Amino acid sequence: MTDYFLDIEYNSIVYDEKEVNLKEFECCTFNNCDFSQCIFVAVTFIDCTFNDCIFSGAKINYVAFRTVFFNRCKIEDVNFAMCDKLIFEIHFKECVLDFSKFYTLKIKGTTFIDCSIIAVDFMSTDLTEVIFDNCDLYRSEFAKAIANKANFKTSYNYTIDPSKTKIKKAVFSLNELKGLLYKHDVIVK
């Protein structure tokens, strides 16, 4: 039986391995909470907000994120690829997502604002209309991704091979054009 929690604010809680399992949270806010030891099983977050939380290293294989906002969170080395894909919607602001994985997910319309997204796996991910606003995408992998209408204009350090990634009508800045031409060994000044 799943426990249901509505419109509750949680502050400065360090969760153990199974403490949030088999629970559904709706319209809840988590402030300064640590989920890094969690191995999530059958957990649902609907219209929830996480502020200054730590997820680094958490196992989120069986989590449903339905309109969830992460603000100033550390989410390093987290594999989102096995999350529940039904109504999957997430947004990130001022987060550290380094070494995380979004492999094969459909994250259309997701926003990444002022995030560190270093060495993140976006391979085969549907990034249609995703906004990368002022994000560091150093060594992130986009092979076989669909980034049509994605906005990279204010982001930097990306390396995207247009022959391996669909980028129709995607927006890039002239300053970062080198990230699209790297494989051709040309110099852009």
Side-chain angles (χ1 to χ4, degrees), residues 170-185:
V171 179
F172 300 92
S173 77
L174 189 57
N175 291 340
E176 291 295 320
L177 189 60
K178 64 187 179 290
L180 299 174
L181 300 172
Y182 74 97
K183 84 173 200 170
H184 300 291
D185 199 25

Side-chain angles (χ1 to χ4, degrees), residues 30-178:
F30 298 85
N31 299 306
N32 296 299
C33 294
D34 186 342
F35 297 90
S36 60
Q37 299 304 311
C38 291
I39 300 173
F40 292 95
V41 176
V43 183
T44 301
F45 296 104
I46 302 168
D47 296 324
C48 291
T49 301
F50 295 91
N51 298 310
D52 305 294
C53 293
I54 301 171
F55 281 85
S56 297
K59 308 298 182 223
I60 61 168
N61 292 346
Y62 303 101
V63 177
F65 291 114
R66 300 187 176 130
T67 315
V68 173
F69 294 85
F70 296 92
N71 300 306
R72 300 170 309 281
C73 294
K74 287 189 178 183
I75 313 171
E76 297 163 304
D77 195 29
V78 172
N79 186 356
F80 287 90
M82 297 301 293
C83 287
D84 184 344
K85 292 162 182 64
L86 181 67
I87 317 172
F88 183 81
E89 183 183 345
I90 50 178
H91 300 277
F92 303 95
K93 184 175 182 182
E94 298 176 28
C95 292
V96 177
L97 292 149
D98 301 348
F99 309 104
S100 290
K101 297 166 186 62
F102 292 90
Y103 179 75
T104 71
L105 277 176
K106 292 182 180 183
I107 59 172
K108 292 180 179 184
T110 296
T111 53
F112 296 91
I113 300 170
D114 298 322
C115 293
S116 177
I117 309 175
I118 295 172
V120 170
D121 183 352
F122 289 112
M123 290 176 55
S124 300
T125 302
D126 187 344
L127 298 164
T128 302
E129 298 178 348
V130 167
I131 295 172
F132 293 99
D133 184 2
N134 194 39
C135 296
D136 185 353
L137 292 159
Y138 180 71
R139 297 193 63 141
S140 287
E141 180 58 57
F142 293 91
K144 298 182 182 176
I146 301 168
N148 295 332
K149 298 181 182 177
N151 190 332
F152 295 88
K153 187 174 181 179
T154 58
S155 289
Y156 49 95
N157 291 333
Y158 50 79
T159 305
I160 301 172
D161 184 346
S163 68
K164 295 180 181 177
T165 306
K166 294 180 182 180
I167 57 170
K168 187 174 184 177
K169 297 190 179 184
V171 179
F172 300 92
S173 77
L174 189 57
N175 291 340
E176 291 295 320
L177 189 60
K178 64 187 179 290

